[in-house]
Amino acid sequence: MALRPAETTAWADTLNRARTAAPEAFDTAGDLVTLRNLVQGQWRSGGTPGAVRTPVDQSLLVHLPRLDADAAGQAVAHAAAAHREWAATPLAERKARVTAALDELTAHRDLLALLLVWEIGKPWRLACADVDRALDGVRWYVAEIDRMLADGREPLPGPVSNIASWNYPMSVLVHAELVQLLAGNAVIAKTPSQGGAVCLTVAHAVMHRAGLPATLLSGSGEELSEVLVRAPEIGAVAFVGGRSNGGKVAAALLDSDKRHFIEQEGLNAWGIWNFSQWDTLAAHLKKGFEYGKQRCTAYPRFVVQRDLVDEFLDMYLPVVRSVRFGHPLAVDEDWRPGDPLPELDFGPLISAAKADELRRKVDEAVRGGAVPLYRGKLDGAPFLDGQNTSAYVAPSVLLAPPGHSRLMHAEPFGPVDTIVVVDTTEELLAAMNASNGALVASLACDDTEQAEKLAVDLQAFKVGINKPRSRGDRDEPFGGRGASWKGAFVGGDLLVQAVTTGGDGRLYGNFPDYSSYPAT
């Protein structure tokens, strides 16, 4: 049956809704739509425009104007002045303005979610979850912030600079900004280069109207890093991304005492040892394919006891074959407005370049000796006739990736899993710790006492016993061990402590001279 785009979800209609919601944030010349930057307290045109395309089908979305370092420096200076005024604003007023922003963001919830479908390729259900987690999470902080600041905590001396990846624009970036604002800090956010620009533009227009001192600017990381990281006016740097760019940020902060929280990638692993609860594990692993494993808490590595390999594969390979992916808005001829949108596990990767890079990594590992247990095909997936599918990658599973391959020690950030077979618990731990630190890890083991003993030696911030771990929400802390994290931990009270000073003076984090906050 031929598929067609779902009515009411076309990009032209979605963009018009965004422009209606935030007309002040867009420039239009004929059919050319260009975003503005929110700098120096207003939406401004300027910068060098670059085309932004959707990974869904590679069509043009908008143009994003990238600022240079001088323009970014002026934006930071203005944000620092706004910070001083905001820090002196009574908490009750800060709560009222953040709540007003939350109310309007809630009114635009479906628009924000549909923008994420187009901009970063999230299926509808997952895009809605990203928006809902942001709004629900911040409302929890609004209810808790009086308690969190009751011990005399004060805002930082300057605004918080946020440099985040493209995969969770709302539930990571906007969520963090609103909590930082609630705690009394002005905020600066760099628009991710690869996706989410329109969603973030609409969200920041709402925040700006509510009287919140927020800056949103775009530009290359290389051009703006010196300003957004090292500028003396910056009170803290929050970074979410890979180890390469995270390492550059950390290096830029070496000679300063600037507050920072740098979340970096890690190869999160499931260890399978003396285990038999296969049906339960299958449900966890199916959910793990959501958004094509393009998230920092995905599990792309399975370390399996040799005696259990046959049972593990009997459970696991049907799970992989059942994963649903394709165009997130393609429906059949019977679909009508108001009907549910496609229920997929994932759509495209963030870009055709990323998809090509991942395919090359798989081919490299196979040439080096990895055994391809499963290599999915795009054939049969729900796509439109003639659609550009260059950003889509079907699931792959490789057994025994060679030690020199990139898939052995680094996360693929896509739907590619690797399996390592071990004979001893010592080998199990070594294989699970292959990336020198991770954000999460899990052990599947019938003997929970044995699992808890093994967990002590895992270099992951959170370890699940017979369940996965995630970033968490509300009062749950989050961080990393080893090279997966640098600086203060976040989440719950720790997020507010990371962007305030005073109280008892403690700051939990992954610091060179401080043992990490206990994993929970």
Side-chain angles (χ1 to χ4, degrees), residues 189 289 343:
F289 272 97
E343 182 67 25

Side-chain angles (χ1 to χ4, degrees), residues 242-266:
R243 290 190 181 181
S244 176
N245 289 331
K248 294 175 183 176
V249 172
L253 294 171
L254 279 177
D255 59 351
S256 77
D257 59 356
K258 198 183 298 294
R259 190 76 61 89
H260 61 278
F261 11 110
I262 302 175
E263 175 187 329
Q264 302 177 125
E265 65 187 277

